[in-house]
């Protein structure tokens, strides 16, 4: 159940990573900073007495702005996309500390978005997966709609063939800025949901976010395919859940006296991404013989 | 229609690789002109097209379209006036998107791409009708992704997209050069039909002198960043490939002599 809850909470991030990495072909490391940014904004807002749902909106906006910064650095200042996103990510570490005023904030005793459900008698262990699943499905439907609008088509074309879409009168700079903004808005919502379900925001909770996001996108694609946009979005969301299940499974494994600890997660994730990226190629080689 | 004055464009300015691609071009294009553009490699033909479309920023000079100075407009803004077909058939269309989605993007050229549904139901009838004139049976494959089409089919589709919303100026940059001879001929016939139907003002770069003489009402020849020949109407109609070659060698010869004189 914990894996489901985490999978859906990280679902927003994974959908965002799909937008930048797959649709826009823009490897965006900003999410390592915008996920804790969302958590920080949400935690501070709730502590200040704002409605927990409203704090999600604040997180979304804060994440969007962070993405816009990366987009502007890339398009208007001509900084390589990867470097632009790293710069924003590094800067966000300081910004997040400023927002929280200290390295972490606990939400003990504060109301969260889960409260209405637990008040209605649904247990905490069911409430979080249920609500996060519902919210991330809504985000999926929103992206499905967005990618089929005229702007969405321009977005897809910007990633594949910028020359073509420029000659159709689309300002690709604007498309990139808005899309990277949206992607980081989604990552920040993930951060806000995690902070509310775990009961704390921590400035270091973003480490490795992009790799986990990529792993989820790739695992989803490999297992569920990406023939259509709808299929690819669903694969990303399911990939997120599956990735968290894999991690949970790996952590519960015991080989004699050896067992994995949460500190091994980054190594595991990196290995998983390498495997997911190389296995399809190896399979192709074996079958072509 | 188009009024180009003293257009200068250099590449790698200030470095030892500096190349003067266009050295003060002056050109007036009348509405409805169909101009074929020829010249050897590096003569400046494609550079002129890229400067017109806004792909390359210019060093100095003016580009006026319909009396309006556009030389500082970004490329995407000029797309409201100009449409293009490139040499590479992959460059004009978006592979993963479907035929109808590509056409929908082209149908909004120069207009905002907002949050309306990309492909409207009412668009499909128009798209089918337009595709039918290609005689490639694409009208029944609206939902197929463009990546499935052949180079010739993609180039035909690009042409259709370029003229779906009537452009003020159509720029064709050796758009049949990457196709096999039979397909190239088909695409060329389609080009002629679309240009005649809509009476489009067109600049077409080509390497094929016969083609350049056959098509259009005016011909310009580039050499070394200059226009060295500009013929139209009956004068152009009377020209043969041999005449063109003679003109070409005459200019080259003169340059050769002047270089020699400098050395002596």
């Amino acid at each position: 159940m914990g894996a489901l809850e985490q999978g859906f909470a990280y679902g927003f991030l994974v959908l965002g990573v799909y937008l930048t990495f797959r649709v826009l072909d823009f490897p965006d490391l900003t999410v390592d900073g915008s996920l804790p940014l969302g958590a920080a904004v949400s935690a501070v807002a709730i502590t200040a007495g704002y409605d927990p749902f409203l704090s999600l909106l604040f997180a979304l906006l804060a994440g969007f702005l962070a993405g816009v910064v990366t987009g502007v650095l890339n398009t208007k200042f001509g900084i390589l996309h990867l470097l632009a996103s790293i710069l924003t990510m590094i800067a966000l570490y300081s910004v997040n500390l400023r927002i929280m005023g200290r390295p972490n904030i606990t939400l003990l005793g504060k109301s969260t978005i889960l409260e209405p459900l637990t008040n209605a008698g649904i247990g905490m262990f069911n409430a979080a997966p249920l609500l996060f699943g519902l919210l991330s499905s809504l985000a999926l439907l929103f992206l499905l709609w967005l990618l089929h609008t005229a702007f969405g088509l321009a977005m897809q074309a910007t990633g594949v063939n910028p020359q073509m879409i420029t000659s159709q009168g689309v300002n690709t700079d604007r498309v990139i800025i808005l899309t990277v903004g949206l992607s980081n808005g989604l990552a920040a919502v993930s951060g806000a949901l995690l902070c509310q379900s775990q009961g704390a925001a921590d400035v270091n909770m973003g480490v490795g976010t992009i790799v986990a996001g990529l792993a989820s996108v790739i695992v989803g694609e490999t297992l569920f395919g990406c023939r259509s946009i709808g299929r690819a979005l669903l694969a990303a969301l399911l990939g997120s859940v599956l990735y968290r299940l894999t991690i949970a499974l790996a952590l519960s494994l015991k080989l004699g006296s050896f067992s994995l600890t949460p500190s091994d997660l980054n190594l595991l994730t990196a290995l998983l991404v390498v495997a997911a990226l190389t296995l399809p190629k190896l399979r192709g080689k074996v079958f072509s013989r | 229609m188009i009024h180009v004055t003293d257009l200068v464009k250099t590449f790698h300015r200030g470095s030892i690789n500096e190349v003067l691609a266009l050295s003060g071009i002056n050109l007036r294009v009348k509405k409805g002109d169909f101009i074929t553009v020829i010249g050897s490699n590096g003569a400046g033909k494609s550079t002129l097209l890229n400067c017109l479309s806004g792909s390359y920023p210019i060093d100095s000079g003016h580009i006026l379209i319909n009396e309006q100075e556009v030389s500082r407009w970004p490329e995407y803004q000029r797309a409201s006036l100009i449409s293009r077909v490139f040499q590479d058939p992959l460059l004009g269309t978006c592979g993963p998107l479907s035929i109808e989605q590509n056409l929908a993007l082209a149908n909004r050229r120069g207009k905002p791409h907002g949050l309306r549904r990309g492909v409207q139901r009412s668009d499909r009838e128009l798209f089918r009708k337009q595709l039918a004139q290609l005689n490639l049976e694409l009208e029944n494959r609206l939902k197929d992704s463009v990546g499935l089409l052949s180079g010739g089919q993609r180039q035909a589709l690009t042409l259709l997209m370029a003229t779906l919303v009537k452009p003020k100026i159509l720029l064709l940059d050796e758009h049949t050069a990457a196709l096999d001879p039979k397909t190239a001929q088909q695409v060329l016939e389609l080009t002629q039909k679309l240009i005649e139907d809509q009476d489009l003002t067109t600049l077409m770069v080509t390497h094929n002198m016969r083609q350049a003489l056959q098509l259009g009402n005016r011909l310009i020849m580039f050499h070394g960043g200059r226009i060295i020949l500009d013929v139209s109407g009956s004068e152009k109609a009377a020209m043969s490939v041999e005449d063109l070659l003679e003109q070409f060698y005459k200019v080259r010869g003169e340059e050769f002599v002047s270089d020699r004189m400098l050395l002596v």
Side-chain angles (χ1 to χ4, degrees), chain B residues 3-7 23-28 62 218 227 230:
Chain B
H3 191 183
V4 177
T5 40
D6 302 325
L7 178 57
S23 59
I25 298 289
N26 289 290
L27 181 67
R28 256 179 193 280
H62 301 279
R218 188 172 161 193
I227 295 176
D230 187 344

Side-chain angles (χ1 to χ4, degrees), chain B residues 6-20:
Chain B
D6 302 325
L7 178 57
V8 176
K9 172 72 191 168
T10 36
F11 290 111
H12 315 293
R13 198 153 39 148
S15 79
I16 50 165
N17 294 325
E18 185 170 302
V19 183
L20 185 61

Side-chain angles (χ1 to χ4, degrees), chain A residues 145-154 156-157 160-161 163-172 174, chain B residues 75-76 79 84 86 90-94 96-97 101-102 105-106 109-110 113-118 161:
Chain A
W145 165 78
L146 181 70
L147 283 166
H148 284 92
T149 63
F151 177 77
L153 295 182
Q156 296 182 57
V160 180
N161 192 342
Q163 175 64 70
M164 172 263 183
I165 197 66
T166 305
S167 357
Q168 301 301 342
V170 172
N171 181 355
T172 50
R174 218 184 99 214
Chain B
E75 188 178 2
Y76 69 86
R84 308 174 71 183
F86 306 90
L90 305 182
L91 221 49
T93 45
C94 180
L97 293 184
Q101 287 174 325
N102 271 281
L105 283 172
R109 184 168 49 78
H113 289 68
L115 294 178
R116 292 157 26 109
R117 200 166 171 76
M161 285 167 62

Side-chain angles (χ1 to χ4, degrees), chain A residues 60-114:
Chain A
L60 181 76
L61 284 175
F64 181 81
L65 286 179
V68 165
V69 170
T70 301
V72 168
L73 286 179
N74 171 238
T75 56
K76 304 295 179 199
F77 295 94
I79 300 173
L80 181 72
H81 43 29
L82 206 58
L83 184 58
S85 69
I86 290 174
L87 290 172
T88 315
M89 176 190 87
I90 291 291
L92 279 174
Y93 187 84
S94 307
V95 173
N96 293 341
L97 276 171
R98 274 282 170 196
I99 291 174
M100 296 200 288
R102 53 182 184 276
N104 51 57
I105 297 179
T106 57
L107 289 176
L108 279 177
K110 298 278 189 308
S111 69
T112 69
I113 55 168
L114 293 170

Side-chain angles (χ1 to χ4, degrees), chain A residues 33-47:
Chain A
S34 50
L35 183 125
L37 171 70
V41 168
S42 177
V44 169
I46 289 175
T47 313

Side-chain angles (χ1 to χ4, degrees), chain B:
Chain B
M1 175 56 87
I2 314 177
H3 191 183
V4 177
T5 40
D6 302 325
L7 178 57
V8 176
K9 172 72 191 168
T10 36
F11 290 111
H12 315 293
R13 198 153 39 148
S15 79
I16 50 165
N17 294 325
E18 185 170 302
V19 183
L20 185 61
L22 295 174
S23 59
I25 298 289
N26 289 290
L27 181 67
R28 256 179 193 280
V29 181
K30 287 198 290 288
K31 191 170 185 296
D33 264 355
F34 179 1
I35 305 180
T36 52
V37 185
I38 55 173
S40 51
N41 287 325
K45 348 179 260 305
S46 292
T47 309
L48 174 69
L49 257 57
N50 281 318
C51 286
L52 288 176
S53 71
S55 294
Y56 296 162
I58 62 173
D59 296 352
S60 62
H62 301 279
I63 301 170
L64 275 75
I65 298 177
N66 280 347
E67 318 283 307
Q68 197 169 17
E69 174 76 64
V70 300
S71 49
R72 300 279 166 253
W73 287 18
E75 188 178 2
Y76 69 86
Q77 196 182 351
R78 284 191 224 181
S80 60
L81 305 172
I82 300 174
S83 61
R84 308 174 71 183
V85 181
F86 306 90
Q87 180 176 357
D88 181 355
L90 305 182
L91 221 49
T93 45
C94 180
L97 293 184
S98 66
I99 294 178
E100 61 175 13
Q101 287 174 325
N102 271 281
L103 284 166
L105 283 172
N107 204 22
R108 300 200 65 73
R109 184 168 49 78
K111 294 178 218 149
H113 289 68
L115 294 178
R116 292 157 26 109
R117 200 166 171 76
V119 183
Q120 306 275 326
R121 194 162 300 169
S122 55
D123 290 341
R124 292 208 175 95
E125 201 44 48
L126 168 78
F127 293 168
R128 274 203 197 92
K129 220 174 76 192
Q130 294 285 336
L131 284 166
Q133 60 176 326
L134 303 183
N135 291 324
L136 294 169
E137 304 198 341
L138 295 180
E139 59 272 23
N140 303 318
R141 301 174 60 186
L142 283 182
K143 304 239 180 241
D144 278 9
S145 92
V146 168
L148 299 171
L149 306 183
S150 70
Q153 287 173 325
R154 278 181 87 150
Q155 206 62 326
L157 181 62
T158 309
L159 262 174
L160 191 63
M161 285 167 62
T163 53
L164 196 58
V165 176
K166 187 183 172 185
K168 294 269 183 284
I169 302 159
L170 176 64
L171 302 178
L172 307 169
D173 194 352
E174 294 186 52
H175 69 301
T176 61
L179 306 174
D180 67 80
K182 186 163 164 273
T183 318
Q185 189 54 39
Q186 285 170 347
V187 169
L188 212 58
E189 279 163 20
L190 175 69
T191 309
Q192 234 174 331
K193 178 180 179 301
L194 289 171
I195 291 174
E196 273 166 24
D197 285 355
Q198 298 193 37
D199 193 24
L200 295 171
T201 310
T202 309
L203 269 89
M204 178 175 117
V205 169
T206 174
H207 261 304
N208 186 328
M209 294 200 181
R210 203 173 305 280
Q211 215 174 66
L213 287 170
Q214 260 168 21
L215 296 171
N217 65 331
R218 188 172 161 193
L219 178 149
I220 55 181
M221 189 194 278
F222 272 82
H223 185 70
R226 283 197 189 81
I227 295 176
I228 56 163
L229 183 71
D230 187 344
V231 288
S232 51
S234 53
E235 196 187 350
K236 170 177 181 283
M239 281 191 104
S240 65
V241 173
E242 286 71 30
D243 296 336
L244 276 181
L245 283 171
E246 195 184 321
Q247 286 281 346
F248 184 62
Y249 286 123
K250 212 170 85 189
V251 176
R252 285 243 304 226
E254 275 167 9
E255 251 183 23
F256 180 68
V257 171
S258 58
D259 283 355
R260 265 307 234 330
M261 277 154 55
L262 276 174
L263 283 172
V264 172

